[in-house]
Amino acid sequence: MIDLHCHSYFSDGTFSPEEIVIKAKKRGLRAIALTDHDTIDGLEEFQQAGQKYHIETITGIEFAAQYNRFREQEIHIVGLGFSPTTKPLTEQMQNIVEARQIRNEKMIFALNQLGFDISYEQIKQNAGGNIITRAHFANVLVQKNIVKNTKEAFEKYLSTNKPAYIQRQTLSPALCIKTIQKSGGVAVLAHPTLYHMDYNEIELLSEELKSYGLTAIETQYSSYSSEQSQKITALADKLGLLYSGGSDFHGKNRPNIHIGVGKNNLHIPYSYWEALKKHCI
């Protein structure tokens, strides 16, 4: 078994890259990918831990991309098996860091305008100095007793069209895929059932992404029902896309999702990665 979709505290997970490797080893996994959101900062520690604990560690990232064919929609493209030091990738990482900084400052200003005493340093401290996401804003709102829990933080202030929401600048789907390919990796459409699309729209999305160079689609994922998994697998077969899959492990932020097995509904074989890495440079 393997897991090709996991997050560390370098994005919005709660465990270090090494701790993720240890958990994968204890689970008996043969390979594990670290796919933090829009960052590769944890990959060096991750790969070192793989050597230390004798488990195959796969470079990964989960890009957010804006897709507006049917409606304004954020989709996620996972990259696997790339070289983290290539110029196309490092340049995009810098662009993303700068865009996030601007967005975070605007969100803090919006919260201040609502009368909340929140500073950038407080948000940064909650994030542990790593990538700042809306989850970290939600945590600080809870800490300051502005809301009872993170769910309320999103519902009142941080979700789309709420007073402290600022849309982030993301890469286009085509640029995500091209960046992954130019860095030697393969591009995977992540969890398409989460995009509020019907299966016809998912098929049109997948066809378009394939024209940009998409290699695979997640046919196994923690929130899929057996019917959804079957339908996405059939779609992959129809379009000639390879299979990928992962738990989307986030540690304590999603306590019902376990590494390698998700909600105990996953069994992702090593053959998935064997087929994918043939397309890596």
Side-chain angles (χ1 to χ4, degrees):
M1 285 170 48
I2 62 173
D3 194 335
L4 298 176
H5 192 153
C6 295
H7 297 276
S8 76
Y9 62 26
F10 278 90
S11 64
D12 55 346
T14 58
F15 292 106
S16 71
E18 182 172 359
E19 287 172 323
I20 287 173
V21 170
I22 293 170
K23 287 181 176 295
K25 183 74 173 180
K26 288 181 177 178
R27 179 69 66 181
L29 300 187
R30 182 173 171 184
I32 181 87
L34 180 64
T35 56
D36 279 324
H37 293 284
D38 297 316
T39 182
I40 56 174
D41 289 352
L43 290 181
E44 184 176 357
E45 177 187 334
F46 180 66
Q47 290 177 300
Q48 289 174 351
Q51 293 176 342
K52 180 178 178 182
Y53 296 102
H54 308 291
I55 181 172
E56 185 176 355
T57 46
I58 301 163
T59 55
I61 189 169
E62 185 173 9
F63 278 122
Q66 196 65 26
Y67 184 77
N68 298 328
R69 182 171 179 179
F70 309 116
R71 65 197 68 83
E72 284 194 9
Q73 177 72 58
E74 183 178 291
I75 65 171
H76 291 176
I77 309 290
V78 166
L80 297 171
F82 52 80
S83 170
T85 58
T86 58
K87 188 175 180 181
L89 188 63
T90 55
E91 285 181 348
Q92 293 305 337
M93 291 298 97
Q94 185 58 37
N95 293 338
I96 288 169
V97 167
E98 292 172 359
R100 276 189 181 274
Q101 176 75 16
I102 293 169
R103 182 203 194 200
N104 292 336
E105 290 172 355
K106 288 181 177 180
M107 287 179 66
I108 289 165
F109 179 77
L111 289 167
N112 292 160
Q113 291 295 102
L114 291 168
F116 305 141
D117 181 21
I118 292 175
S119 69
Y120 182 77
E121 285 304 314
Q122 290 167 337
I123 302 294
K124 190 175 179 181
Q125 183 177 12
N126 185 265
N130 299 312
I131 294 292
I132 293 172
T133 69
R134 284 183 294 162
H136 301 119
F137 280 84
N139 290 340
V140 172
L141 288 172
V142 173
Q143 289 170 2
K144 288 180 166 285
N145 297 315
I146 294 168
V147 294
K148 294 178 182 178
N149 51 51
T150 57
K151 184 173 183 285
E152 184 182 350
F154 277 92
E155 289 176 347
K156 283 188 174 181
Y157 303 110
L158 302 176
S159 292
T160 306
N161 299 323
K162 299 303 179 182
Y165 176 80
I166 303 294
Q167 184 172 356
R168 59 179 167 145
Q169 296 299 309
T170 60
L171 307 181
S172 69
L175 184 53
C176 289
I177 292 169
K178 295 302 181 187
T179 300
I180 292 164
Q181 287 187 323
K182 287 179 180 178
S183 302
V186 291
V188 179
L189 176 59
H191 45 59
T193 62
L194 299 187
Y195 304 140
H196 308 292
M197 296 180 181
D198 61 35
Y199 285 103
N200 182 57
E201 290 174 330
I202 292 173
E203 181 173 343
L204 291 171
L205 164 66
S206 302
E207 282 183 321
E208 181 178 340
L209 297 185
K210 186 182 177 184
S211 74
Y212 304 143
L214 186 77
T215 300
I217 189 168
E218 287 186 340
T219 57
Q220 290 198 52
Y221 182 73
S222 292
S223 70
Y224 287 175
S225 66
S226 58
E227 180 185 10
Q228 287 175 321
S229 183
Q230 289 170 7
K231 286 186 174 181
I232 298 301
T233 301
L235 175 62
D237 292 340
K238 180 179 180 180
L239 298 181
L241 293 169
L242 297 179
Y243 304 162
S244 187
S247 63
D248 208 356
F249 176 74
H250 280 71
K252 295 176 184 176
N253 285 340
R254 295 185 185 177
N256 63 327
I257 303 295
H258 305 289
I259 205 161
V261 296
K263 297 179 180 179
N264 294 314
N265 62 330
L266 301 180
H267 188 98
I268 304 160
Y270 188 79
S271 59
Y272 282 22
W273 175 234
E274 280 184 313
L276 287 167
K277 67 180 174 182
K278 290 176 182 177
H279 296 262
C280 298
I281 299 171

